[in-house]
Structures are given as C-alpha cells and as structure tokens.
Amino acid sequence: MKKNSIFLVLLLFVQLAGFAQDSKIPSSVKNVESKVDSILFMMTLEEKIGQLVQYNGSWDLTGPASEMGNKQKEERLKKGLVGSMLNVLSVDATREAQKLVMENSRIKIPLMFGYDVIHGYKTMFPVPLGETASWDLDAMEKSARIAAIESVADGVNWTFSPMIDVSRDARWGRIMEGSGEDPYLTSLVAVAKVKGYQGDDLADSTTIAATAKHFAGYGFAEAGRDYNTVNIGEYELHNMILPPFKAAADAGVATFMNSFNTIDGTPATGNKMLQRDILKGDWNWDGFVVSDWGSITEMIYHGFARDKKQAAEIAIKAGSDMDMEGGAYESSLMELVQEGRIDESLINEAVKRILRVKFKMGLFEDPYRYTDSDLAKEISYKEHREVARDIARKSIVLLKNENNVLPIKTSVKNIAIIGPLANDKDSPIGNWRAQAEPNSAVSVVEGIKAAAGKNVNITYAEGAKLGMGERSFLMPLEINKTDRSGFAEAIEKAKKADLVIMVLGEDAFQAGEGRSQAKIGLAGLQQELLQEIYKVNKNIALVLINGRPMEISWAAENIPAIVEAWQLGSESGNAIADVLFGKYNPSGKLPVSFPKAVGQEPLYYNQQSTGRPYSEQHVTFSSYTDVGKEALYPFGYGLSYTTFEYGVLQLSSEEMGENGQITASISVTNSGKRAGKEVVQLYLQDIVASKARPVKELKGFKMIELAPGESKIVEFSINEKMLEFYSANKKWQSEAGDFNVFIGGNSKYLKKAGFTLNQ
Ligand code: NOJ
C-alpha cells in the first residue's frame, strides 16, 4: 500500500476508534498501544511537539485572552499545540480551554489540567509531614481520595502530588510536603496516595492522575537550602532516595515530575541515568515525566546548557517528556529535529507516553469527563471535614507530658490560651493550600471553647504577633521582633489561670517551597514570650503549630507538656481540643527527628555506622561536644496518655536460609489506665556488609489498640527480601551474615535480638 492509502485507512480507523469525543472507547482500553500509534501516525511534527508543552493558565479562560502572550497561547491551544495546562481552575475554565482544543484543532487531543493538590483541595488535611505522623495508611489514602473528588469537581484532573522526596533536613522548607526521613515509610505513603488519587481506574470521573515528585534527590539539597546542589553517591541514591519512587511507579502512578537540583553535577531534568535508564528502563514504567516549572531552561543557570535550544536537546534526550511553562520545547524542538540534532523518534516516544496517560484517563472517550458542574453539588464538605478532623487528631504527636498535665483535668477551671497562633485561623492551613479559603481553619481558641463546656473559664491573649503585614505564597514573611505591647495582658491572664495553653510555632508560609531557614527555633518574640509566661505560671501545655521539625530544647527541658500539632488543616482546633481534653488519646509518632540544635542537621536515625560510633561524652568520637549526636525526639517517637511495656523479643529461629523467613514476636502490654493505640516498629540492621550499612532501618510497623491491662503478641515476619539493599555489586541483593532485629515504640528505645542469614 502506498503511504497515502495507509494514511487514509488509519485516518478512518482513528476516527472510528473514536479519539474524537463522540465515539466511545471503553475506559478499560486494552489496545491502548495501537490507538496511541494510530494517533501518532496522524500527527505532524508540530502537533507532536505541542503535546510536550504545558502552559500555565494565567488568564481568565472564560473570556478572551487580552494580553499578547495569552492571546498567542490561546491561538496555539486552538491549533492543538498544547498538551496540558496547569493552574486552570473551575469547571467552566477547564471546559472552555478544552473546547478551544476540541472545537478548533485538527486532531482534537484533549488537554490534561494539573494543579498542586498537596494536602487537600478545599477541605484541608494535615500537611503531608504531619499526616505521615499518623502512620495510618488508610487515612492517608482517604484524604487523597477526598482531595481527588473535590479537585475534579473544580475541573482539575491531575495533581502534582505526592511529593515523596526523603528529607532529613529541618532547614529545608519543603520538608513539610513530604513524609520525612525514612524511605520505607515514605514508600508506603507514596502507594497510599497514588491509590487515593487514582483509585482502581484512572478513567473514573472522580479520580485524578497523580505525580511522583521530585525525581530525584531534591530533598537532599545541601545545607537544606532549597534548589541547592545535591551531592550523593549511587549507593545513597538507590538505598535512600529511589525506593519511594520505585514504589510509586509499581503502584501505577500516571506521571513523574523531575526536580530543580543537580545530582552529582547533572541536573535531574537533564539526567538520562535517572529518567531513561532507571525509571523508563529498569523499572519499565510507562507514564510520562513532566519537568518542574521551567526546570528545562534552568539548566542554563546551572551552567549545563548554553541556551534554551541546548537545554531542550539535553532534556528530551534525557527523558523529560513535557516542558512545564519553560518554553524550551515549544521554541526549539522543531529546529533540533530539522537540524538532525535529535531524532524524531525521541519526540514520538514522549508523545506516546502522554497519549497513553490521556487514554487511561478516559479523555478520548469524553474530553469533558472532568468538567461536570453537577459533581460539586454532590459533595458533602461537612463529611469531608469530619474525616479531616479524625485524620488531624491521629496526626498529633505528644512529645512530653510530665506529671500528666494532659489530658486536661476536670479540676482545671481557668484556662489561659496564649500565643500568636492561638486564635490564628490561617496558619493551620499551612502552605500549598490549593483552594482552601484563607482563615478557614478552626483555631485552637475556637476548638477549646467548643470542647471545654460552660464550667471552664477561658481567656485568650495573643501576647505577640509572629508575622507582620500580609502573608502570601510568594512574599517573604516579616517577623515581629520588637512589638511586645501584648506581653502584659498575656502575663496577667497567665497568672490567673490553672493551666496555660501556649500556641506557638510557624506562620502559614514559613515552611514550603523556597522557605528554607537557617534558624528553626521559635521565631520572633515567641521564645521570649514563653519564658515570660513560664515565670508566672509553670503549668503550661505547649501546642506547636508548624511545618518542619523545630529546635525546642528550652521548652523540652522546662515546659511540662508539649503537643506537636503540625499544620493540621481545616479542623485543626477541634482536633487539638480532642487531644487536649482526652477525647482522643494521642497515637502519632514522629516521621522525622527533632534536633537538639539546628547544627545537628541533617539529622536522621538511619545513619550509616561510623568508625567512631560510641560515646556522647568523649571528644574523639563522631558526635558534637556541646549537644551530642542524639535527637531531642527521635524518629518514630510519640507518647500516649497510657503507657506501653514491651516484653522479650523472640525470633522463631536464629538462622534464615535462602528464600527463608523467620518470625519476630513481642508482647506489648498497656500498662496504664486508658485504652490507647501504639505503633509497634520493626527495625533491622545488617551488621557487616559489602558497604557500610545504616545502624538500623525501619522495615515494618503495626498499629495496635489495647485496653488498660491488655497484652497482645505482635508478630512480624522477616524474609530475605527485607534484607536486600543496593550493594557494592550495584544490584539489590541480600548478603549472608548476621543481622540485628529491633522492636519498640520508637527508633531509639528498642528490644533487640539477632539472627544469621545463610546463603
Ligand atoms: C514548582 C514546584 O517545585 C513543584 O513541586 C510544583 O508542582 C510546580 N512548581 C507547579 O506549581
């Protein structure tokens, strides 16, 4: 057959197969590949390149684009030269944008609409670091499900979430967006989130495509400074950074986003080893990679590309499929192909990946599938708030509770609530708040007033403002360092109280993108206020509202009760009150270490063994002579209003054969007076290996609930797979030898046993 007739046959096939909206391709498309091929065959090079372009929807799409740049964008949409858009919100706006493509373009390939839905869309859940402290994977899946439902009701069908960058540095503002310092826990959260967003069927009109980001190494920015250089070796990359991404890929995440950083000198966006060799090669993942915002052109600033054109060449060769608002692909790919600098097959491959995702989302079946204005009417925001309250209280970590200050006793009749965040309805929403209304969270004052009942007298004083002026995503926060005019009132109120609840921490936008800090203590006058109040009333419960681990050594030493309440989202104040009054017995555990001093950062429990491991006191060991090397509160730590006792750790055998398995069991008893939940944690250590191994690594956990006096035997099965690591042989394998097994309620105080792996 001549090429022309093949073309006509295919044209017919494509039209019959129905990539146009009025024909019906079943959502469970089995022959996606042949459909993708047929469409690709139809496309001109210009149209193909268009699919690799993502525009920011910076204009009102329900009216004509007025500015020149936007007019041009609109024209290109009409020609079908855009693959997706971000930040286009509302059913009307996404429908209008989709119409521009579907009613004007030649091939009519629907757009995807992406947005940063990080911890909820309208209903806000705890920031991801806080939510991970619940260690409740079902809850985390559920909040993602709800976020998806609320997103599609506003026309958004693709979220740039979950962020699964393992992050160990509290200075890094984006630590709030991830799941902390442990690759195993982060991997499980990654899978839960992907399931929550994408469900079982991406084509379901209430599911959205997820994005595993940022690939890779972004959380290891040197000195915790955002966008900074990452210097890690292959061993660390494979063992610490890649596992959550592999888990997300295996869970079928639709897209990946690469990252701004260089890694070992190569920008992640231009990194062939990461994107082509590992992700698309070894892992055989079939989705597409979107760049981070302008990260292709940023390679010029890295000094890795001369100009936009070279940046585009490097990125496409390295496997970056879609250019987010960078303009490099749009301006350069055509010339690069014409000049023979890149082969069209590279573009074909990227286009196929994008079309494949669009097929799976059911967009070819119905391009308007995610623009149903009736969906919003069906949503019960009230029910979503109830779920948000439950997840929020599960995320709270009780750090200290001397003399059982908490839960608040019925004998307490006068409570003074003090602090800049006490009546703040905005900070608990945190950064990356999608479409949450500003000032829409329940404040601590409101939550406590609602929970306390009439017999308790509640007073409130701000004491000192934390930030001055406006808060916003892009503005740096101006911290109040001088205005103490509210101190006197706060001190007077504290004097008269039976219990003071101090609410301190971070402003809404203190953590997040571009919000790295060299100091991580209580900013502004907060520390001073705390100490002044302490002088007049020592019966203080400190509630922390924050996005990152903070340096709170003074408080840890002096304040009897400390509650880590993160930025808990819409229901923050109610959730905090549930815990303070004992309606909910705290069960959260830290997903990240809290330092004694910022100078310990990056601080993480799963460090490699050093050659000088032993002492805190002596000068010739790997430690700090002033504060030591231990965390103030370690990974996995969190108290309850009851206590748990761990029995003897027993192993079913002290030997494990190849492909073998042994069982570790331990009895856990609720030795206190209240029912409570405990996260029982399993850690393993490979004592001698071909590479220095971490002192311990989380390999399993179980949440149990015990009545007072009740005991349970908790069992973990340990198999050879769990002993594997990316070894000196550059592959995942276990190595024969001795292993330590640790079980306990945090990463520090653990029961220990050992076994030998024979191979
Ligand atoms: C830059 C951030 O790094 C990324 O996480 C986000 O998804 C994009 N901007 C889009 O807003």
Side-chain angles (χ1 to χ4, degrees), residues 99-157:
K99 268 163 85 179
L100 289 176
V101 175
M102 300 311 292
E103 291 176 5
N104 299 290
S105 69
R106 196 178 70 89
I107 301 213
K108 305 188 197 315
I109 300 176
L111 296 164
M112 287 166 70
F113 296 97
Y115 189 48
D116 290 290
V117 183
I118 307 298
H119 57 112
Y121 189 77
K122 283 194 168 131
T123 308
M124 284 291 117
F125 297 91
V127 295
L129 186 66
E131 194 182 51
T132 306
S134 71
W135 294 55
D136 186 332
L137 298 168
D138 291 341
M140 289 185 246
E141 182 179 332
K142 202 165 188 176
S143 67
R145 185 85 273 279
I146 289 174
I149 290 169
E150 292 187 5
S151 299
V152 265
D154 220 13
V156 170
N157 56 27

Side-chain angles (χ1 to χ4, degrees), residues 484-501:
R484 295 177 176 79
S485 56
F487 270 42
E489 182 196 352
I491 291 168
E492 277 319 299
K493 289 189 167 152
K495 275 186 192 162
K496 293 186 191 128
D498 308 329
L499 172 70
V500 179
I501 295 171

Side-chain angles (χ1 to χ4, degrees), residues 435-493:
Q435 288 301 293
E437 287 287 324
N439 294 305
S440 60
V442 177
S443 76
V444 178
V445 170
E446 288 171 333
I448 289 183
K449 281 191 173 160
K454 289 196 188 86
N455 296 332
V456 186
N457 177 37
I458 300 192
T459 57
Y460 154 69
E462 188 180 30
K465 287 199 183 313
L466 169 52
M468 328 258 279
E470 265 182 55
R471 19 173 93 114
S472 81
F473 179 72
L474 288 172
M475 293 282 291
L477 178 72
E478 195 195 330
I479 300 278
N480 167 29
K481 294 185 184 132
T482 52
D483 181 5
R484 295 177 176 79
S485 56
F487 270 42
E489 182 196 352
I491 291 168
E492 277 319 299
K493 289 189 167 152

Side-chain angles (χ1 to χ4, degrees), residues 371-480:
T371 56
D372 176 359
S373 51
D374 286 342
L375 269 178
K377 294 182 206 141
E378 287 159 23
I379 291 179
S380 166
Y381 287 98
K382 193 168 160 279
E383 271 170 36
H384 291 181
R385 293 282 289 229
E386 279 162 23
V387 178
R389 178 173 181 161
D390 188 45
I391 298 180
R393 59 193 195 170
K394 286 175 171 163
S395 305
I396 292 172
V397 184
L398 181 64
L399 295 177
K400 186 177 174 192
N401 195 20
E402 221 169 66
N403 309 324
N404 294 325
V405 168
L406 296 175
I408 298 171
K409 298 181 184 62
T410 45
S411 57
V412 170
K413 296 293 177 217
N414 291 293
I415 299 177
I417 312 174
I418 295 172
L421 300 179
N423 209 20
D424 185 342
K425 293 171 67 59
D426 201 56
S427 288
I429 304 172
N431 212 329
W432 292 116
R433 50 179 58 195
Q435 288 301 293
E437 287 287 324
N439 294 305
S440 60
V442 177
S443 76
V444 178
V445 170
E446 288 171 333
I448 289 183
K449 281 191 173 160
K454 289 196 188 86
N455 296 332
V456 186
N457 177 37
I458 300 192
T459 57
Y460 154 69
E462 188 180 30
K465 287 199 183 313
L466 169 52
M468 328 258 279
E470 265 182 55
R471 19 173 93 114
S472 81
F473 179 72
L474 288 172
M475 293 282 291
L477 178 72
E478 195 195 330
I479 300 278
N480 167 29

Side-chain angles (χ1 to χ4, degrees), residues 86-87 116 160 174 177 213-214 218 257 260 292-293 324 432 513:
L86 81 156
N87 299 333
D116 290 290
F160 304 130
R174 299 195 81 167
E177 263 181 81
K213 75 183 186 188
H214 305 86
Y218 187 42
M257 184 187 292
F260 290 125
D292 202 343
W293 182 287
M324 181 191 283
W432 292 116
E513 185 177 351

